[in-house]
Short mmCIF file of all heavy atoms in Angstrom, two decimals:
data_model
loop_
_atom_site.label_atom_id
_atom_site.label_comp_id
_atom_site.label_asym_id
_atom_site.label_seq_id
_atom_site.Cartn_x
_atom_site.Cartn_y
_atom_site.Cartn_z
N MET Y 23 240.02 435.86 93.72
CA MET Y 23 241.02 436.56 94.50
C MET Y 23 241.47 435.72 95.69
O MET Y 23 242.65 435.55 95.91
CB MET Y 23 240.43 437.90 94.96
CG MET Y 23 241.36 438.73 95.77
SD MET Y 23 242.72 439.31 94.75
CE MET Y 23 243.61 440.25 95.90
N ILE Y 24 240.51 435.18 96.42
CA ILE Y 24 240.86 434.38 97.60
C ILE Y 24 241.57 433.10 97.18
O ILE Y 24 242.45 432.60 97.88
CB ILE Y 24 239.62 434.08 98.47
CG1 ILE Y 24 240.01 433.47 99.81
CG2 ILE Y 24 238.67 433.15 97.76
CD1 ILE Y 24 240.58 434.45 100.77
N THR Y 25 241.20 432.57 95.99
CA THR Y 25 241.86 431.36 95.50
C THR Y 25 243.33 431.62 95.24
O THR Y 25 244.18 430.77 95.55
CB THR Y 25 241.17 430.89 94.20
OG1 THR Y 25 239.78 430.76 94.45
CG2 THR Y 25 241.71 429.56 93.75
N ARG Y 26 243.65 432.77 94.69
CA ARG Y 26 245.05 433.12 94.43
C ARG Y 26 245.84 433.22 95.73
O ARG Y 26 246.97 432.77 95.82
CB ARG Y 26 245.15 434.44 93.68
CG ARG Y 26 244.71 434.35 92.26
CD ARG Y 26 244.91 435.67 91.57
NE ARG Y 26 244.43 435.61 90.21
CZ ARG Y 26 244.48 436.60 89.37
NH1 ARG Y 26 244.99 437.76 89.75
NH2 ARG Y 26 244.04 436.47 88.15
N ILE Y 27 245.21 433.81 96.75
CA ILE Y 27 245.88 433.95 98.04
C ILE Y 27 246.13 432.58 98.66
O ILE Y 27 247.22 432.29 99.15
CB ILE Y 27 245.05 434.84 98.98
CG1 ILE Y 27 245.03 436.28 98.44
CG2 ILE Y 27 245.60 434.82 100.40
CD1 ILE Y 27 244.06 437.19 99.16
N LEU Y 28 245.11 431.72 98.62
CA LEU Y 28 245.27 430.37 99.18
C LEU Y 28 246.31 429.56 98.41
O LEU Y 28 247.12 428.85 99.00
CB LEU Y 28 243.93 429.64 99.18
CG LEU Y 28 242.89 430.15 100.17
CD1 LEU Y 28 241.57 429.42 99.98
CD2 LEU Y 28 243.39 430.00 101.58
N PHE Y 29 246.29 429.68 97.08
CA PHE Y 29 247.28 428.97 96.27
C PHE Y 29 248.68 429.46 96.59
O PHE Y 29 249.61 428.67 96.75
CB PHE Y 29 246.98 429.15 94.79
CG PHE Y 29 247.96 428.46 93.89
CD1 PHE Y 29 247.93 427.09 93.75
CD2 PHE Y 29 248.92 429.18 93.21
CE1 PHE Y 29 248.83 426.44 92.93
CE2 PHE Y 29 249.83 428.54 92.39
CZ PHE Y 29 249.79 427.17 92.25
N GLY Y 30 248.86 430.79 96.70
CA GLY Y 30 250.16 431.35 97.03
C GLY Y 30 250.64 430.92 98.41
O GLY Y 30 251.81 430.60 98.61
N ALA Y 31 249.72 430.89 99.37
CA ALA Y 31 250.09 430.46 100.72
C ALA Y 31 250.50 428.99 100.73
O ALA Y 31 251.48 428.60 101.35
CB ALA Y 31 248.93 430.70 101.68
N GLY Y 32 249.75 428.17 100.02
CA GLY Y 32 250.09 426.74 99.94
C GLY Y 32 251.42 426.52 99.25
O GLY Y 32 252.25 425.72 99.69
N LEU Y 33 251.66 427.25 98.17
CA LEU Y 33 252.92 427.12 97.45
C LEU Y 33 254.07 427.60 98.32
O LEU Y 33 255.13 426.97 98.37
CB LEU Y 33 252.86 427.92 96.15
CG LEU Y 33 253.98 427.72 95.16
CD1 LEU Y 33 254.05 426.26 94.74
CD2 LEU Y 33 253.78 428.60 93.95
N GLY Y 34 253.87 428.70 99.04
CA GLY Y 34 254.90 429.20 99.94
C GLY Y 34 255.23 428.20 101.04
O GLY Y 34 256.39 428.01 101.40
N LEU Y 35 254.20 427.55 101.58
CA LEU Y 35 254.43 426.54 102.62
C LEU Y 35 255.22 425.35 102.07
O LEU Y 35 256.11 424.83 102.73
CB LEU Y 35 253.10 426.05 103.19
CG LEU Y 35 252.55 426.83 104.37
CD1 LEU Y 35 251.17 426.31 104.71
CD2 LEU Y 35 253.47 426.73 105.56
N MET Y 36 254.88 424.94 100.85
CA MET Y 36 255.58 423.80 100.28
C MET Y 36 257.04 424.12 99.98
O MET Y 36 257.89 423.25 100.07
CB MET Y 36 254.87 423.32 99.02
CG MET Y 36 253.61 422.56 99.33
SD MET Y 36 252.92 421.70 97.91
CE MET Y 36 252.22 423.04 96.99
N VAL Y 37 257.32 425.37 99.62
CA VAL Y 37 258.71 425.76 99.37
C VAL Y 37 259.46 425.92 100.68
O VAL Y 37 260.62 425.52 100.80
CB VAL Y 37 258.75 427.07 98.54
CG1 VAL Y 37 260.15 427.63 98.48
CG2 VAL Y 37 258.23 426.82 97.13
N ALA Y 38 258.79 426.45 101.69
CA ALA Y 38 259.43 426.69 102.98
C ALA Y 38 259.68 425.39 103.76
O ALA Y 38 260.65 425.28 104.50
CB ALA Y 38 258.59 427.64 103.83
N VAL Y 39 258.80 424.42 103.59
CA VAL Y 39 258.91 423.16 104.31
C VAL Y 39 259.02 422.02 103.27
O VAL Y 39 258.00 421.49 102.82
CB VAL Y 39 257.67 422.93 105.21
CG1 VAL Y 39 257.84 421.68 106.05
CG2 VAL Y 39 257.43 424.14 106.09
N PRO Y 40 260.25 421.67 102.87
CA PRO Y 40 260.42 420.67 101.79
C PRO Y 40 259.70 419.33 102.01
O PRO Y 40 259.17 418.78 101.06
CB PRO Y 40 261.93 420.49 101.72
CG PRO Y 40 262.48 421.79 102.20
CD PRO Y 40 261.51 422.25 103.27
N PRO Y 41 259.64 418.77 103.24
CA PRO Y 41 258.90 417.51 103.38
C PRO Y 41 257.42 417.66 103.02
O PRO Y 41 256.81 416.71 102.52
CB PRO Y 41 259.05 417.16 104.85
CG PRO Y 41 260.29 417.84 105.28
CD PRO Y 41 260.33 419.11 104.48
N LEU Y 42 256.85 418.84 103.24
CA LEU Y 42 255.46 419.06 102.88
C LEU Y 42 255.28 418.96 101.36
O LEU Y 42 254.29 418.43 100.87
CB LEU Y 42 255.01 420.44 103.39
CG LEU Y 42 253.54 420.78 103.22
CD1 LEU Y 42 252.68 419.79 104.00
CD2 LEU Y 42 253.27 422.19 103.70
N PHE Y 43 256.27 419.44 100.61
CA PHE Y 43 256.23 419.35 99.15
C PHE Y 43 256.24 417.88 98.71
O PHE Y 43 255.49 417.49 97.82
CB PHE Y 43 257.42 420.10 98.53
CG PHE Y 43 257.46 420.01 97.03
CD1 PHE Y 43 256.57 420.72 96.25
CD2 PHE Y 43 258.38 419.19 96.41
CE1 PHE Y 43 256.60 420.62 94.88
CE2 PHE Y 43 258.42 419.09 95.04
CZ PHE Y 43 257.53 419.80 94.27
N ASP Y 44 257.09 417.07 99.35
CA ASP Y 44 257.15 415.65 99.01
C ASP Y 44 255.83 414.95 99.29
O ASP Y 44 255.37 414.13 98.49
CB ASP Y 44 258.27 414.96 99.78
CG ASP Y 44 259.65 415.44 99.35
OD1 ASP Y 44 259.77 415.92 98.21
OD2 ASP Y 44 260.59 415.32 100.17
N ILE Y 45 255.20 415.29 100.41
CA ILE Y 45 253.91 414.69 100.76
C ILE Y 45 252.84 415.11 99.75
O ILE Y 45 252.05 414.29 99.29
CB ILE Y 45 253.51 415.08 102.20
CG1 ILE Y 45 254.46 414.43 103.20
CG2 ILE Y 45 252.07 414.68 102.48
CD1 ILE Y 45 254.32 414.95 104.61
N ALA Y 46 252.82 416.39 99.40
CA ALA Y 46 251.84 416.89 98.44
C ALA Y 46 252.05 416.26 97.06
O ALA Y 46 251.09 415.90 96.37
CB ALA Y 46 251.92 418.41 98.34
N LEU Y 47 253.30 416.10 96.67
CA LEU Y 47 253.59 415.48 95.37
C LEU Y 47 253.16 414.02 95.35
O LEU Y 47 252.56 413.56 94.37
CB LEU Y 47 255.09 415.60 95.08
CG LEU Y 47 255.55 415.09 93.72
CD1 LEU Y 47 254.91 415.92 92.61
CD2 LEU Y 47 257.06 415.17 93.62
N ALA Y 48 253.42 413.31 96.43
CA ALA Y 48 253.00 411.90 96.52
C ALA Y 48 251.48 411.77 96.49
O ALA Y 48 250.93 410.91 95.80
CB ALA Y 48 253.57 411.27 97.78
N ALA Y 49 250.79 412.64 97.21
CA ALA Y 49 249.32 412.59 97.23
C ALA Y 49 248.75 412.92 95.86
O ALA Y 49 247.79 412.28 95.40
CB ALA Y 49 248.79 413.56 98.27
N THR Y 50 249.33 413.91 95.18
CA THR Y 50 248.85 414.28 93.84
C THR Y 50 249.09 413.15 92.86
O THR Y 50 248.21 412.84 92.04
CB THR Y 50 249.58 415.56 93.37
OG1 THR Y 50 249.35 416.59 94.33
CG2 THR Y 50 249.07 416.00 92.02
N THR Y 51 250.25 412.54 92.93
CA THR Y 51 250.55 411.42 92.03
C THR Y 51 249.62 410.25 92.28
O THR Y 51 249.11 409.63 91.33
CB THR Y 51 252.02 410.97 92.23
OG1 THR Y 51 252.87 412.09 92.02
CG2 THR Y 51 252.39 409.87 91.27
N LEU Y 52 249.37 409.95 93.54
CA LEU Y 52 248.46 408.85 93.87
C LEU Y 52 247.04 409.15 93.37
O LEU Y 52 246.39 408.28 92.79
CB LEU Y 52 248.44 408.62 95.38
CG LEU Y 52 247.54 407.49 95.87
CD1 LEU Y 52 248.06 406.16 95.34
CD2 LEU Y 52 247.50 407.49 97.38
N ALA Y 53 246.57 410.38 93.58
CA ALA Y 53 245.22 410.74 93.15
C ALA Y 53 245.10 410.74 91.63
O ALA Y 53 244.08 410.30 91.08
CB ALA Y 53 244.84 412.11 93.70
N ALA Y 54 246.13 411.22 90.93
CA ALA Y 54 246.08 411.30 89.47
C ALA Y 54 246.15 409.93 88.82
O ALA Y 54 245.79 409.78 87.65
CB ALA Y 54 247.20 412.19 88.97
N SER Y 55 246.63 408.93 89.54
CA SER Y 55 246.75 407.60 88.95
C SER Y 55 245.45 406.80 89.07
O SER Y 55 245.40 405.67 88.59
CB SER Y 55 247.90 406.84 89.60
OG SER Y 55 247.61 406.57 90.95
N GLN Y 56 244.43 407.38 89.69
CA GLN Y 56 243.16 406.69 89.87
C GLN Y 56 242.16 407.18 88.81
O GLN Y 56 241.80 408.36 88.81
CB GLN Y 56 242.59 406.97 91.26
CG GLN Y 56 243.52 406.60 92.39
CD GLN Y 56 243.81 405.12 92.42
OE1 GLN Y 56 242.93 404.31 92.19
NE2 GLN Y 56 245.04 404.77 92.69
N PRO Y 57 241.69 406.32 87.91
CA PRO Y 57 240.76 406.75 86.85
C PRO Y 57 239.50 407.45 87.37
O PRO Y 57 239.08 408.44 86.76
CB PRO Y 57 240.42 405.45 86.12
CG PRO Y 57 241.61 404.58 86.35
CD PRO Y 57 242.09 404.93 87.75
N PRO Y 58 238.85 406.99 88.47
CA PRO Y 58 237.66 407.72 88.93
C PRO Y 58 237.98 409.16 89.35
O PRO Y 58 237.17 410.06 89.15
CB PRO Y 58 237.17 406.91 90.13
CG PRO Y 58 237.72 405.55 89.91
CD PRO Y 58 239.03 405.74 89.23
N VAL Y 59 239.15 409.38 89.92
CA VAL Y 59 239.54 410.73 90.32
C VAL Y 59 239.71 411.61 89.10
O VAL Y 59 239.27 412.76 89.07
CB VAL Y 59 240.83 410.70 91.18
CG1 VAL Y 59 241.33 412.10 91.47
CG2 VAL Y 59 240.59 409.94 92.46
N ILE Y 60 240.34 411.06 88.06
CA ILE Y 60 240.53 411.82 86.83
C ILE Y 60 239.18 412.14 86.19
O ILE Y 60 238.94 413.27 85.73
CB ILE Y 60 241.42 411.04 85.85
CG1 ILE Y 60 242.83 410.88 86.44
CG2 ILE Y 60 241.50 411.72 84.50
CD1 ILE Y 60 243.72 409.94 85.69
N ALA Y 61 238.26 411.18 86.16
CA ALA Y 61 236.94 411.41 85.59
C ALA Y 61 236.17 412.46 86.38
O ALA Y 61 235.52 413.33 85.80
CB ALA Y 61 236.16 410.10 85.55
N PHE Y 62 236.25 412.42 87.69
CA PHE Y 62 235.57 413.41 88.53
C PHE Y 62 236.13 414.80 88.28
O PHE Y 62 235.38 415.77 88.11
CB PHE Y 62 235.72 413.05 90.02
CG PHE Y 62 235.13 414.07 90.93
CD1 PHE Y 62 233.77 414.14 91.12
CD2 PHE Y 62 235.94 414.97 91.60
CE1 PHE Y 62 233.21 415.10 91.96
CE2 PHE Y 62 235.40 415.92 92.44
CZ PHE Y 62 234.04 415.98 92.63
N ALA Y 63 237.46 414.92 88.23
CA ALA Y 63 238.09 416.22 87.98
C ALA Y 63 237.70 416.76 86.61
O ALA Y 63 237.42 417.96 86.46
CB ALA Y 63 239.61 416.10 88.11
N ALA Y 64 237.67 415.91 85.60
CA ALA Y 64 237.27 416.35 84.27
C ALA Y 64 235.82 416.84 84.27
O ALA Y 64 235.49 417.84 83.63
CB ALA Y 64 237.45 415.22 83.26
N GLY Y 65 234.96 416.14 84.99
CA GLY Y 65 233.57 416.57 85.09
C GLY Y 65 233.42 417.90 85.78
O GLY Y 65 232.63 418.75 85.37
N VAL Y 66 234.18 418.11 86.84
CA VAL Y 66 234.11 419.38 87.57
C VAL Y 66 234.58 420.53 86.68
O VAL Y 66 233.98 421.60 86.65
CB VAL Y 66 234.97 419.31 88.86
CG1 VAL Y 66 235.18 420.69 89.46
CG2 VAL Y 66 234.31 418.38 89.87
N VAL Y 67 235.63 420.29 85.91
CA VAL Y 67 236.16 421.33 85.04
C VAL Y 67 235.21 421.60 83.88
O VAL Y 67 234.98 422.75 83.50
CB VAL Y 67 237.56 420.93 84.52
CG1 VAL Y 67 238.01 421.85 83.42
CG2 VAL Y 67 238.56 420.94 85.66
N ALA Y 68 234.62 420.56 83.30
CA ALA Y 68 233.80 420.71 82.11
C ALA Y 68 232.35 421.07 82.39
O ALA Y 68 231.65 421.54 81.50
CB ALA Y 68 233.85 419.42 81.29
N TRP Y 69 231.87 420.87 83.61
CA TRP Y 69 230.44 421.04 83.89
C TRP Y 69 229.91 422.44 83.55
O TRP Y 69 228.85 422.54 82.93
CB TRP Y 69 230.13 420.69 85.34
CG TRP Y 69 228.67 420.85 85.64
CD1 TRP Y 69 228.09 421.81 86.38
CD2 TRP Y 69 227.61 420.04 85.13
NE1 TRP Y 69 226.74 421.64 86.40
CE2 TRP Y 69 226.42 420.56 85.62
CE3 TRP Y 69 227.57 418.93 84.29
CZ2 TRP Y 69 225.19 420.01 85.32
CZ3 TRP Y 69 226.34 418.39 83.99
CH2 TRP Y 69 225.17 418.92 84.50
N PRO Y 70 230.56 423.53 83.92
CA PRO Y 70 230.00 424.85 83.57
C PRO Y 70 229.83 425.05 82.07
O PRO Y 70 228.81 425.57 81.61
CB PRO Y 70 231.02 425.84 84.14
CG PRO Y 70 231.72 425.10 85.21
CD PRO Y 70 231.74 423.67 84.75
N ARG Y 71 230.79 424.58 81.29
CA ARG Y 71 230.70 424.72 79.84
C ARG Y 71 229.56 423.87 79.28
O ARG Y 71 228.80 424.31 78.42
CB ARG Y 71 232.03 424.30 79.21
CG ARG Y 71 232.08 424.52 77.72
CD ARG Y 71 233.45 424.23 77.15
NE ARG Y 71 234.43 425.10 77.78
CZ ARG Y 71 235.66 424.74 78.10
NH1 ARG Y 71 236.07 423.53 77.84
NH2 ARG Y 71 236.49 425.59 78.65
N ILE Y 72 229.42 422.65 79.80
CA ILE Y 72 228.35 421.76 79.33
C ILE Y 72 226.99 422.35 79.68
O ILE Y 72 226.08 422.38 78.85
CB ILE Y 72 228.51 420.36 79.95
CG1 ILE Y 72 229.77 419.69 79.40
CG2 ILE Y 72 227.28 419.50 79.68
CD1 ILE Y 72 230.17 418.43 80.16
N SER Y 73 226.82 422.84 80.90
CA SER Y 73 225.52 423.37 81.31
C SER Y 73 225.15 424.63 80.53
O SER Y 73 223.99 424.83 80.19
CB SER Y 73 225.48 423.63 82.81
OG SER Y 73 226.36 424.68 83.16
N ARG Y 74 226.14 425.48 80.21
CA ARG Y 74 225.84 426.67 79.40
C ARG Y 74 225.39 426.27 78.00
O ARG Y 74 224.47 426.85 77.44
CB ARG Y 74 227.08 427.57 79.29
CG ARG Y 74 227.26 428.50 80.44
CD ARG Y 74 228.29 429.58 80.11
NE ARG Y 74 229.56 429.00 79.66
CZ ARG Y 74 230.62 428.81 80.44
NH1 ARG Y 74 230.55 429.14 81.72
NH2 ARG Y 74 231.72 428.29 79.96
N ARG Y 75 226.05 425.28 77.43
CA ARG Y 75 225.70 424.84 76.08
C ARG Y 75 224.30 424.25 76.05
O ARG Y 75 223.50 424.57 75.16
CB ARG Y 75 226.72 423.83 75.57
CG ARG Y 75 226.41 423.38 74.16
CD ARG Y 75 227.54 422.62 73.57
NE ARG Y 75 228.66 423.52 73.39
CZ ARG Y 75 229.79 423.19 72.81
NH1 ARG Y 75 229.95 421.98 72.37
NH2 ARG Y 75 230.76 424.06 72.69
N VAL Y 76 223.98 423.40 77.01
CA VAL Y 76 222.65 422.78 77.03
C VAL Y 76 221.59 423.82 77.31
O VAL Y 76 220.51 423.79 76.70
CB VAL Y 76 222.62 421.63 78.08
CG1 VAL Y 76 221.21 421.12 78.28
CG2 VAL Y 76 223.53 420.50 77.65
N ARG Y 77 221.87 424.76 78.20
CA ARG Y 77 220.92 425.83 78.49
C ARG Y 77 220.65 426.65 77.22
O ARG Y 77 219.53 427.10 76.99
CB ARG Y 77 221.47 426.73 79.59
CG ARG Y 77 220.40 427.50 80.30
CD ARG Y 77 220.92 428.31 81.46
NE ARG Y 77 221.79 427.51 82.34
CZ ARG Y 77 222.92 427.94 82.86
NH1 ARG Y 77 223.34 429.18 82.63
NH2 ARG Y 77 223.64 427.18 83.65
N GLY Y 78 221.68 426.82 76.39
CA GLY Y 78 221.52 427.57 75.13
C GLY Y 78 220.60 426.86 74.15
O GLY Y 78 219.97 427.51 73.31
N TRP Y 79 220.50 425.56 74.22
CA TRP Y 79 219.64 424.82 73.31
C TRP Y 79 218.16 425.11 73.58
O TRP Y 79 217.34 425.06 72.68
CB TRP Y 79 219.83 423.32 73.47
CG TRP Y 79 221.17 422.81 73.03
CD1 TRP Y 79 222.08 423.45 72.23
CD2 TRP Y 79 221.75 421.56 73.37
NE1 TRP Y 79 223.17 422.68 72.06
CE2 TRP Y 79 223.01 421.49 72.74
CE3 TRP Y 79 221.33 420.48 74.13
CZ2 TRP Y 79 223.84 420.40 72.85
CZ3 TRP Y 79 222.16 419.38 74.22
CH2 TRP Y 79 223.40 419.34 73.60
N PHE Y 80 217.84 425.41 74.84
CA PHE Y 80 216.45 425.60 75.22
C PHE Y 80 216.07 427.06 75.43
O PHE Y 80 214.97 427.36 75.87
CB PHE Y 80 216.13 424.79 76.48
CG PHE Y 80 216.33 423.32 76.30
CD1 PHE Y 80 217.45 422.69 76.80
CD2 PHE Y 80 215.42 422.57 75.57
CE1 PHE Y 80 217.66 421.33 76.62
CE2 PHE Y 80 215.62 421.21 75.37
CZ PHE Y 80 216.74 420.59 75.89
N ALA Y 81 216.97 427.96 75.12
CA ALA Y 81 216.69 429.38 75.33
C ALA Y 81 215.99 429.99 74.14
O ALA Y 81 215.98 429.54 73.06
CB ALA Y 81 217.97 430.15 75.60
#
């Protein structure tokens, strides 16, 4: 719930203040072009699924 509110507030700020959108877009593009950042993000997204699966092997 709080994540949705924060996301909506951030999106509203970026729409209300166009230079902020440009800065956020540049930062996102820069971060996404770095392989370690992509690997870290993939690990964060996949970790709960991986840990549940491994935990199931020993249950």
Side-chain angles (χ1 to χ4, degrees):
M23 180 68 179
I24 190 75
T25 307
R26 288 183 183 181
I27 293 170
L28 290 175
F29 179 74
L33 191 59
L35 271 174
M36 285 192 286
V37 169
V39 185
L42 186 61
F43 178 74
D44 292 336
I45 293 169
L47 184 63
T50 303
T51 304
L52 181 65
S55 67
Q56 304 297 320
V59 173
I60 295 170
F62 176 77
V66 167
V67 169
W69 180 252
R71 185 175 300 143
I72 293 168
S73 67
R74 276 194 305 263
R75 181 168 293 184
V76 170
R77 202 175 311 137
W79 293 343
F80 299 103

